[in-house]
Amino acid sequence: MVQANIGVVGLAVMGSNLARNFASREGNTVAVYNRTWAKTQTLVTDHPEAGFIASKTIEEFAASLAKPRTAIIMVKAGTPTDAVIDELVAVFEPGDIIVDGGNALFTDTIRREKAVRETGINFVGAGISGGEEGALKGPSIMPGGSDESWVTLGPILKSIAAVVDGEPCVTHVGHDGAGHFVKMIHNGIEYADMQLIAEAYDLIRRGTGKPPAEIADIFTEWNKGELESYLIEITAEVLKQVDAKTGTPLVDVILDEAGSKGTGVWTVQTALDLGVPVSGIAEAVFARALSSKPEQRAAAASLPGPDENAWKLADGSETSTDAFIEGVRLALYASKVIAYSQGFDAIVAGAEQYGWDIKKGDIARIWRGGCIIRARFLNRITDAYAENPGLVALVTAPFFVDVMERTQTAWRTVVADAAHAGIPTPAFSSSLAYYDGLRADRLPTSLVQGQRDFFGAHTYKRVDREGTFHTLWSGDRSEIEATDSH
């Protein structure tokens, strides 16, 4: 009997596309299984060229796989994933490999890997980015798991990954939950990137009065330069689209309430636990939350704002308009750099916390193709970490220092103009505040420490000598050196 070298469990759109991608690559034979047999039949019937080995039961599925059996789960995160893992563990043997390709919370992956490892079976959490099209044509893949599993899994994943400059966009990220952790950070950066682009669109539209179709042309032009990226490309496509029913721009008939599936929230929550500021990502998450509060927004619509006649972002002249648009472009570029810098800070902190050997340059390299945040300047991130693997903050790399030197004046002007005009730019503004906080030689947190010591005896350190101190605020206000009892 012909046996498959890879199996896919869960044949919704992502699972089906991934199975088709595997089958289209030389050397792969693909086994497929779905809880509902009708869905399996549909996939096999619609794509006879794939040569799928279909199974009605999980036992048949296991028997259809060559050893070491390797199967990728593409089912809903949470309880459904746990249920499928249990089913596979019951029919797999030591040395076999179970891969979760969904968007699982990385701490769940750590838990699952530990439990499955006790059976002798390998469990791999793999982040897969690129959406439906990426799954079919070539995604960016971020697998964790054991070194042993990578020996078998690596060549299979490389066969389907996106390829940039001859290199497949996949690497062994690290052990247990490392793959899903990095995918989570990828999605957090994606949130920030999308919010920044939306703010740029809003500024141009409100600041110049240009219609969406003309702004689409601006984004198309931007996509030819240093902002070249998948998200800039699709932004132009969305802005060009005209609603068939009303004849108006589609963007004007889409309700302005943005949803999310939780990975951005996970990124912010995890960063808080790690003590890493990801303010651009956080503001992107909060912006979606604010957009989804229609009752509050309706109640606040009459709140006072700036005099509409007191500001002009562009005076209507071609020169002024062009200068304003260029300023927005520079502000967008600077803010995007901060989003990536904060994201990589979180990766570094996560790697330290969980004992993962994550190579930052490799992560930037595999994000160059297939994934949603693929962009031209990821090459520069790879170069920065190749030149200095111990880089303390991505934004301090020489290339990005030059970017900040070139963009910061426009960035400041745009944020100030937006504030005067009453146009919300939470991601632009918070990114600039983070940048200024990072480069400040002294921060007002010295006062915060003084306040904390006053009401809670939390102690403080001094700039002029070693030790930890406390002021007797309720006594004679003399300073004492703190002991462990304080």
Side-chain angles (χ1 to χ4, degrees):
M1 184 180 73
V2 175
Q3 288 187 304
N5 66 314
I6 183 68
V8 178
V9 179
L11 302 177
V13 176
M14 282 292 289
S16 295
N17 282 4
L18 203 63
R20 290 170 58 196
N21 189 352
F22 279 121
S24 70
R25 313 295 174 156
E26 186 177 353
N28 289 337
T29 302
V30 185
V32 291
Y33 171 76
N34 194 78
R35 182 172 53 86
T36 306
W37 171 240
K39 187 162 285 189
T40 307
Q41 284 182 304
T42 299
L43 176 65
V44 172
T45 302
D46 289 350
H47 299 283
E49 77 287 349
F52 292 126
I53 301 175
S55 299
K56 286 186 177 181
T57 68
I58 200 73
E59 290 81 9
E60 289 178 10
F61 176 73
S64 71
L65 290 166
K67 297 180 181 180
R69 301 177 182 89
T70 304
I72 295 186
I73 300 170
M74 298 299 293
V75 299
K76 189 175 180 180
T79 303
T81 297
D82 284 320
V84 174
I85 292 170
D86 289 343
E87 285 186 88
L88 288 173
V89 166
V91 294
F92 274 21
E93 299 174 353
D96 291 345
I97 304 166
I98 299 172
V99 183
D100 177 10
N103 269 338
L105 181 60
F106 75 97
T107 49
D108 287 341
T109 303
I110 292 173
R111 168 181 59 80
R112 290 166 177 151
E113 194 276 337
K114 182 179 179 181
V116 173
R117 189 196 324 143
E118 292 177 358
T119 70
I121 297 169
N122 290 291
F123 182 79
V124 176
I128 301 176
S129 178
E132 297 172 13
E133 182 179 8
L136 180 62
K137 297 180 180 178
S140 174
I141 312 175
M142 296 147 261
S146 66
D147 296 338
E148 177 191 6
S149 64
W150 178 244
V151 173
T152 298
L153 190 59
I156 299 172
L157 296 183
K158 287 177 182 179
S159 76
I160 66 160
V163 177
V164 176
D165 296 336
E167 296 180 303
C169 293
V170 58
T171 190
H172 185 206
V173 174
H175 296 155
D176 53 65
H180 276 146
F181 179 86
V182 168
K183 175 57 163 57
M184 177 190 71
I185 300 299
H186 164 284
N187 285 23
I189 295 171
E190 179 186 306
Y191 271 62
D193 212 343
M194 292 170 71
Q195 176 64 25
L196 290 166
I197 291 170
E199 290 178 16
Y201 153 74
D202 196 33
L203 282 164
I204 294 173
R205 187 160 190 190
R206 293 216 246 172
T208 70
K210 288 182 178 293
E214 289 186 30
I215 301 175
D217 291 338
I218 292 168
F219 277 93
T220 298
E221 192 60 32
W222 285 359
N223 201 46
K224 297 175 184 176
E226 58 194 2
L227 282 176
E228 181 191 346
S229 68
Y230 173 71
L231 285 172
I232 294 287
E233 176 188 341
I234 68 168
T235 296
E237 294 300 318
V238 172
L239 292 176
K240 275 190 256 183
Q241 187 69 16
V242 174
D243 177 50
K245 290 185 178 179
T246 63
T248 57
L250 179 64
V251 73
D252 288 344
V253 298
I254 296 175
L255 186 66
D256 60 337
E257 296 178 17
S260 67
K261 290 190 175 180
T263 47
V265 174
W266 291 348
T267 302
V268 176
Q269 290 173 331
T270 301
L272 286 170
D273 290 338
L274 294 172
V276 178
V278 291
S279 51
I281 297 170
E283 288 297 346
V285 173
F286 295 147
R288 293 193 191 188
L290 178 62
S291 79
S292 300
K293 304 291 183 187
E295 292 182 0
Q296 287 186 334
R297 292 172 60 195
S302 59
L303 291 175
D307 183 348
E308 290 187 8
N309 298 316
W311 58 269
K312 282 188 179 180
L313 300 185
D315 63 16
S317 69
E318 186 175 341
T319 301
S320 172
T321 298
D322 289 347
F324 174 70
I325 292 170
E326 174 61 8
V328 173
R329 186 188 73 82
L330 293 170
L332 175 58
Y333 190 26
S335 299
K336 280 166 71 79
V337 170
I338 294 300
Y340 281 81
S341 188
Q342 291 181 342
F344 275 92
D345 284 348
I347 288 174
V348 169
E352 291 177 356
Q353 176 72 23
Y354 294 98
W356 299 320
D357 181 21
I358 298 178
K359 295 176 174 57
K360 285 84 71 180
D362 286 353
I363 301 305
R365 178 180 57 77
I366 68 170
W367 285 352
R368 294 181 302 164
C371 72
I372 303 302
I373 64 171
R374 58 186 183 266
R376 174 188 288 192
F377 82 95
L378 280 161
N379 280 318
R380 298 296 190 175
I381 298 177
T382 299
D383 293 344
Y385 283 115
E387 184 178 327
N388 182 4
L391 196 62
V392 293
L394 179 62
V395 72
T396 64
F399 174 82
F400 294 112
V401 171
D402 290 343
V403 170
M404 293 300 157
E405 178 67 31
R406 182 163 54 84
T407 60
Q408 65 146 338
T409 299
W411 192 14
R412 297 180 190 285
T413 300
V414 165
V415 169
D417 284 347
H420 284 301
I423 300 174
T425 55
F428 273 18
S429 303
S430 64
S431 298
L432 178 58
Y434 168 85
Y435 174 72
D436 282 336
L438 192 65
R439 65 178 196 83
D441 62 345
R442 188 161 172 79
L443 293 167
T445 39
S446 57
L447 175 58
V448 173
Q449 277 301 98
Q451 293 167 332
R452 293 180 73 238
D453 189 58
F454 189 103
F455 66 70
H458 292 296
T459 73
Y460 53 85
K461 294 184 178 181
R462 297 177 59 97
V463 299
D464 53 358
R465 66 179 188 269
E466 294 294 318
T468 303
F469 301 89
H470 168 59
T471 291
L472 301 173
W473 298 103
S474 57
D476 63 4
R477 301 210 170 185
S478 61
E479 182 182 73
I480 61 171
E481 187 156 7
T483 63
D484 291 340
S485 61
H486 271 286

